[in-house]
Amino acid sequence: MPEEKIKSNALEHVVIACGGTGGHLFPGLAVGQELRQRGCTVTLMVSPKDVDQQAIQSITGMGIVTLPAVSLSRGGVLGFLSGLWRSYRVAKACFAQRPPRFVLAMGGYISAPPILAAKRCGAKTFLHESNSIPGRANRWLARWVDGAFVFFPPTAEKLAARRVEVVGMPVRPQFLEPMTAAGARAAMGLDPEAPVLLVMGGSQGARRVNELALGIIPQLRQAIPNLQFIHLTGDHDLESVRARYKALDIPAVVHAFWNEMGLALAAADVAVSRAGASSLAELAARQLPAVLIPYPTAADNHQFYNAQAFVQSGAARLLEQNSATPDALAGEIIELIRDPLKRSAMQKALADWNSPAAAGDIAERILNWPALADHSHHVPGPKLKPQNLGPLNV
């Protein structure tokens, strides 16, 4: 039996299944913090992946259970099914020892076992779908849960849940703390007065994004001689990226992964980023203009549709990886850094995507379900044109 980190006499026990990627883990953690402030005990169920295991080292005040689930791409069909069954048994055993009142799944392959185990023990069940195209796990689970929450308004029509609420995307408290660019740069060891480009590929890095960014460093520095860099590489490219900046003798903060993302985004003028929903919500929270390069093999191409929604509202620029050229990327970055009016317009559009109360809204709605459930509830946000997304492979 996995051992939890804390014990509490709080009346409500809430389990949040939120592992597999930072895009699932960190929003789940934000909701967990809100629930704890409301007197609940919270247990996080996460995956064995490094991104989860590294992140949970700094978590206090919540129980942690690692489920043995593996993704279909990593374990193959047999490994995936075996992981699901073993995870279900772990979740069921945990719930038998300490029954939850509510279970929230944040999406991904870690979601199904806790939700199914929760149904067996009579807990209320919920899911949060962060992407414009619902993931396979959430599309399947939606018909079984008591309610669902979404980030993108059009997503509500794609989930067969009893009730779907548009609440926005939870972000960690660090993204909601006021911070000046100069203060953030100084805290990261950079020149407080010089512009900064942030390059990030999501919680696991992105080799093609790294390659594109490294290839245009001389071009960017020629156009903007005092430009500084924050580059989050992922584990595989850390040393080669560090060596490149060192060889060019260019001021740069280079890490594989960075827990203080609120600080990094506050320090930057422009970002180059993938288009995972959590990354987009964090960009919106810090109102940081970005050039988005969606991961082209993401399930159902959901990162492209996430990015397209932001671009359509004027909140970002978009380059598709398969057709992106160094000159095109450099041109977008240089234009945005040099033109404060264009950055300002993007920041205003990003503010419409920001939902600072999302984590608290989800916590309140779970604890008061169904009293606060209202299918017509929507957060303020940009008006999006209908999109033809094509058939979904469930």
Side-chain angles (χ1 to χ4, degrees):
M1 173 68 61
E3 182 177 349
E4 295 183 6
K5 291 182 177 178
I6 60 167
K7 298 292 181 182
S8 171
N9 294 320
L11 294 177
E12 307 289 10
H13 178 211
V14 185
V15 171
I16 303 176
C18 56
T21 70
H24 295 135
L25 177 64
F26 296 126
L29 178 58
V31 176
Q33 290 170 330
E34 290 286 342
L35 287 163
R36 286 196 68 239
Q37 292 177 11
R38 289 159 174 79
C40 299
T41 59
V42 178
T43 299
L44 303 180
M45 289 191 163
V46 301
S47 82
K49 290 179 68 173
D50 288 344
V51 63
D52 291 11
Q53 296 303 309
Q54 290 175 16
I56 64 175
Q57 297 306 311
S58 60
I59 295 174
T60 59
M62 300 187 201
I64 305 291
V65 174
T66 297
L67 300 181
V70 295
S71 67
L72 183 60
S73 62
R74 289 170 66 93
V77 174
L78 291 179
F80 172 72
L81 294 175
S82 174
L84 286 182
W85 173 245
R86 288 184 291 126
S87 296
Y88 170 76
R89 293 183 65 183
V90 171
K92 184 179 176 183
C94 289
F95 296 172
Q97 183 186 48
R98 191 177 184 190
R101 180 80 179 276
F102 309 101
V103 175
L104 169 67
M106 300 303 294
Y109 61 90
I110 209 76
S111 296
I115 291 292
L116 296 177
K119 300 299 288 185
R120 291 290 300 269
C121 72
K124 291 288 186 183
T125 55
F126 305 89
L127 61 83
H128 182 275
E129 176 53 61
S130 58
N131 291 302
S132 56
I133 304 293
R136 289 182 176 88
N138 276 355
R139 294 204 298 266
W140 183 77
L141 289 172
R143 67 199 74 183
W144 307 107
V145 299
D146 293 285
F149 309 104
V150 298
F151 177 19
F152 292 91
T155 310
E157 301 174 0
K158 302 175 181 69
L159 290 173
R162 298 174 191 175
R163 290 183 182 271
V164 183
E165 304 293 323
V166 182
V167 296
M169 185 69 177
V171 297
R172 289 166 282 174
Q174 61 175 273
F175 291 95
L176 306 178
E177 298 170 356
M179 189 176 299
T180 65
R185 290 169 189 164
M188 297 192 73
L190 296 169
D191 182 346
E193 304 304 322
V196 174
L197 174 68
L198 169 63
V199 181
M200 57 183 187
S203 60
Q204 299 174 72
R207 174 154 294 174
R208 183 55 182 153
V209 172
N210 292 338
E211 291 171 348
L212 282 168
L214 290 180
I216 60 174
I217 291 173
Q219 188 175 349
L220 294 177
R221 288 278 290 187
Q222 182 177 9
I224 309 166
N226 62 342
L227 183 62
Q228 308 172 100
F229 296 81
I230 302 171
H231 198 138
L232 306 179
T233 66
D235 290 329
H236 298 297
D237 295 336
L238 175 62
E239 295 307 323
S240 62
V241 172
R242 276 185 174 166
R244 175 66 170 163
Y245 284 107
K246 185 176 181 180
L248 294 171
D249 194 23
I250 288 175
V253 175
V254 183
H255 294 284
F257 179 76
W258 185 249
N259 274 324
E260 297 298 324
M261 284 301 297
L263 186 68
L265 269 67
D269 294 88
V270 174
V272 176
S273 174
R274 288 299 198 196
S278 186
S279 295
L280 295 182
E282 291 167 359
L283 291 168
R286 283 297 188 205
Q287 296 181 28
L288 177 61
V291 181
L292 304 176
I293 306 177
Y295 182 44
T297 59
D300 297 310
N301 203 19
H302 69 260
Q303 285 204 9
F304 171 80
Y305 293 109
N306 292 351
Q308 191 177 63
F310 267 54
V311 171
Q312 183 182 335
S313 68
R317 303 283 181 89
L318 169 64
L319 291 176
E320 293 190 62
Q321 177 170 301
N322 294 335
S323 57
T325 65
D327 284 346
L329 179 58
E332 296 279 12
I333 294 168
I334 292 168
E335 180 183 17
L336 287 173
I337 290 180
R338 281 179 166 174
D339 194 330
L341 292 179
K342 289 183 178 177
R343 291 202 310 276
S344 178
M346 293 179 73
Q347 288 168 337
K348 290 178 181 178
L350 282 161
D352 287 337
W353 285 103
N354 186 26
S355 47
D361 283 348
I362 293 172
E364 285 292 330
R365 288 176 175 275
I366 286 174
L367 296 177
N368 294 282
W369 199 270
L372 291 182
D374 176 5
H375 187 70
S376 65
H377 173 71
H378 290 275
V379 294
K383 303 295 184 182
L384 301 179
K385 299 176 184 177
Q387 300 177 35
N388 180 13
L389 303 181
L392 299 181
N393 298 319
V394 180

